[in-house]
Amino acid sequence: MLKLSTCEPFAKGNYRACYVHPNDPLKCIKILRSCARPDKLRRQATFFKRLRPVSWFDTNIFEHNSLSSLQKRLQGKDNAIITKTDGFVMTDLGTGHVVELCRDADI
């Protein structure tokens, strides 16, 4: 389990906070914020959307599935513009989605 609670996120959005991977500075870990937990979002949804599974409300799962699908479709082609996904990792803040960290050329 990775310890991220002592680290400062380099970016925050409405649903996720992004941390530099402590073991690999070329990767990023995206953690769902407490206000965007899938079970909480499901409870706040309209009735017919609450019939969907909790995983449908998880932004990290959606992004992982989308990136994986694109990587498979573009396999063997120039897919340098697609962020690489490395799956999920357990952290002290919850499950995190590990992706390639895109940086400026001067860093």
Side-chain angles (χ1 to χ4, degrees):
M1 178 183 301
L2 295 174
K3 186 170 179 147
L4 295 178
S5 58
T6 58
C7 301
E8 188 70 26
F10 68 86
K12 281 186 183 177
N14 289 336
Y15 295 117
R16 298 185 287 184
C18 300
Y19 297 85
V20 175
H21 196 295
N23 300 333
D24 187 354
L26 298 176
K27 294 182 182 175
C28 167
I29 301 176
K30 297 181 179 184
I31 305 287
L32 290 175
R33 296 177 64 186
S34 60
C35 61
R37 299 287 180 210
D39 55 336
K40 186 176 183 180
L41 293 176
R42 185 181 186 200
R43 282 194 304 271
Q44 295 172 348
T46 57
F47 171 73
F48 63 91
K49 287 186 180 179
R50 277 183 263 155
L51 299 174
R52 295 179 174 158
V54 175
S55 62
W56 190 86
F57 295 90
D58 192 330
T59 309
N60 282 340
I61 291 175
F62 177 79
E63 181 184 39
H64 174 71
N65 292 341
S66 299
L67 290 173
S68 295
S69 175
L70 281 172
Q71 286 175 0
K72 287 177 186 173
R73 289 177 68 193
L74 297 175
Q75 194 172 22
K77 298 178 182 168
D78 184 26
N79 59 354
I81 61 170
I82 305 298
T83 301
K84 311 289 187 284
T85 179
D86 287 339
F88 296 93
V89 65
M90 287 301 300
T91 71
D92 58 344
L93 300 176
T95 304
H97 181 216
V98 181
V99 295
E100 175 184 32
L101 181 57
C102 299
R103 295 183 181 256
D104 291 341
D106 61 344
I107 294 179

